[in-house]
Amino acid sequence: MNPTDNNITGSRRLSIAPMLDWTDRHYRHMARQISRHTWLYSEMINAGAIIYGDQDRFLMFNEGEQPVALQLGGSEPADLAKAAKAGEQYGYNEINLNCGCPSPRVQKGAFGACLMNEVGLVADCLNSMQDAVRIPVTVKHRIGVDRQTEYQTVADFVGTLAHKTACTTFIVHARNAWLDGLSPKENREVPPLKYEYVYRLKQEFPNLEIIINGGVTTNEEIAGHLQHVDGVMVGREAYHNPMIMREWDQRFYHSSEPPIEYAELVDRIFRYSREQIQAGRGTILRHTVRHYLGLMHGLNKARVWRRMLSDAALLKDNDGSLILQAWEEVKNANTF
């Protein structure tokens, strides 16, 4: 990395959303090869799983992933504090509390989006976590729950937490969470986006770091949002089309480094997959390549790439050279 870029490494100007079953350490390794400066998030991990489970399984990440944040789910301040402390000891750069997930599994545990109705409990959770660690503690939330459609709902939530806690970073998914009647997938698509609510939060709370999330699919949209807020968090688009990140360092972080070439990226993910399989921790080829399916989005033979990397018969040999074979198909069909 160019030494002149050191001062911008770690900025939340752009970030990849925590996505359950998607943003594991294998995905994050790939994302870090594409963008050096974008802030990465873990999947949401239940605090109890960290306290009582296999911490390596839940918290281990790859060297070079940083800056990377650990997102926790839970509503017991003491448990969240213990889990946050474990995350700090593993080397995470931030602990984030999930107050936005609408899934039934989360509702049964009385955390996620349900917490937006219990701002006092959220404050207790954040304070306990912050008391336990020296790294930033942040919160990700919706603009309201169910049919709470007025701006004041989210303004009161943010204002109360800003007053009662040391939290200064709020990541706002600009949709309501409908806990009754919509699936998690529908909750990402059906409730209308109200970006203007998030813009207004930044105007009302200029000293807070306000990051917008929800429905962002192009770099032009990112640039537009950055006229109003401090940062943009991208979710599904960055998973299904990872190379959207390819110009982020230069365009949004003013990095002097050129974007990574496809051939170099393929070589890195091939070597990474081979090393992970050989490490003997139970990783098989399918665990890594499932995150690579969208890498060739928009290129000739992208469908062949996807088909080869998801073919059970080809994957059963657990041979990472399959990545190179699939790349040959794409490389020969395109001009780079």
Side-chain angles (χ1 to χ4, degrees):
M1 183 175 62
N2 190 313
T4 61
D5 292 339
N6 284 344
N7 63 328
I8 51 176
T9 297
S11 163
R12 295 185 193 85
R13 184 170 173 82
L14 287 178
S15 56
I16 303 301
M19 292 177 280
L20 203 59
D21 297 324
W22 287 3
T23 51
D24 64 12
R25 63 188 180 91
H26 302 312
Y27 171 81
R28 297 194 308 264
H29 170 269
M30 176 193 68
R32 181 58 71 222
Q33 309 315 304
I34 302 171
S35 171
R36 180 64 193 90
H37 302 297
T38 298
W39 202 274
L40 304 178
Y41 281 76
S42 74
E43 307 167 83
M44 183 187 72
I45 303 173
N46 186 294
I50 293 172
I51 297 170
Y52 303 109
D54 181 349
Q55 290 194 353
D56 273 353
R57 174 189 168 197
F58 293 111
L59 296 179
M60 183 176 64
F61 61 87
N62 302 292
E63 182 179 356
E65 267 187 49
Q66 294 167 311
V68 60
L70 170 66
Q71 189 187 63
L72 295 177
S75 58
E76 293 291 337
D79 286 353
L80 285 164
K82 291 177 185 176
K85 185 64 177 177
E88 180 182 47
Q89 291 171 342
Y90 267 76
Y92 285 88
N93 305 99
E94 170 197 331
I95 307 296
N96 178 263
L97 178 63
N98 183 309
C99 291
C101 181
S103 78
R105 182 172 58 179
V106 165
Q107 291 182 52
K108 288 178 182 177
F111 57 97
C114 300
L115 287 175
M116 287 200 69
N117 289 326
E118 299 186 59
V119 68
L121 177 58
V122 175
D124 291 342
C125 292
L126 292 174
N127 284 328
S128 292
M129 295 159 73
Q130 194 67 78
D131 288 345
V133 301
R134 292 173 293 178
I135 57 178
V137 174
T138 67
V139 60
K140 186 174 188 293
H141 57 92
R142 297 280 184 132
I143 58 174
V145 176
D146 294 322
R147 273 48 175 190
Q148 299 169 340
T149 58
E150 64 280 356
Y151 164 75
Q152 202 56 44
T153 297
V154 68
D156 288 345
F157 182 80
V158 170
T160 299
L161 294 179
H163 176 68
K164 291 187 173 183
T165 78
C167 182
T168 58
T169 299
F170 294 78
I171 303 165
V172 190
H173 188 155
R175 283 190 174 96
N176 274 42
W178 291 358
L179 302 181
D180 183 24
L182 290 184
S183 69
K185 180 179 185 297
E186 290 169 330
N187 257 294
R188 294 190 296 266
E189 299 169 351
V190 174
L193 285 160
K194 297 183 178 179
Y195 293 136
E196 66 275 13
Y197 281 17
V198 189
Y199 297 168
R200 188 172 168 187
L201 282 174
K202 183 58 188 177
Q203 294 172 348
E204 189 170 334
F205 302 98
N207 294 326
L208 299 179
E209 183 179 34
I210 302 295
I211 297 170
I212 199 167
N213 169 235
V216 179
T217 60
T218 70
N219 289 332
E220 287 65 36
E221 291 172 1
I222 291 172
H225 287 310
L226 288 174
Q227 301 299 311
H228 303 279
V229 293
D230 299 297
V232 178
M233 175 177 276
V234 182
R236 285 167 291 162
E237 186 67 22
Y239 189 85
H240 294 303
N241 178 21
M243 291 301 255
I244 189 178
M245 296 181 273
R246 190 169 178 243
E247 63 179 88
W248 285 6
D249 286 358
Q250 284 193 322
R251 180 168 181 176
F252 299 113
Y253 289 96
H254 311 296
S255 172
S256 59
E257 291 187 356
I260 191 168
E261 298 294 337
Y262 279 87
E264 173 65 17
L265 177 59
V266 169
D267 182 63
R268 291 184 189 183
I269 61 175
F270 158 68
R271 287 187 283 112
Y272 172 80
S273 294
R274 183 178 59 187
E275 290 164 3
Q276 292 297 308
I277 293 167
Q278 292 174 348
R281 291 192 294 261
T283 299
I284 60 175
L285 185 60
R286 180 175 55 83
H287 294 160
T288 61
V289 299
R290 72 187 183 96
H291 301 299
Y292 306 157
L293 301 184
L295 271 178
M296 303 302 160
H297 179 81
L299 298 180
N300 296 327
K301 293 293 185 78
R303 183 175 298 179
V304 174
W305 167 272
R306 292 194 303 271
R307 187 174 67 241
M308 291 181 68
L309 295 189
S310 57
D311 187 313
L314 296 176
L315 290 169
K316 67 178 176 60
D317 292 335
N318 219 27
D319 184 351
S321 64
L322 177 63
I323 297 169
L324 301 181
Q325 295 168 26
W327 166 240
E328 282 297 314
E329 296 287 336
V330 177
K331 182 177 67 173
N332 292 335
N334 293 272
T335 302
F336 293 94

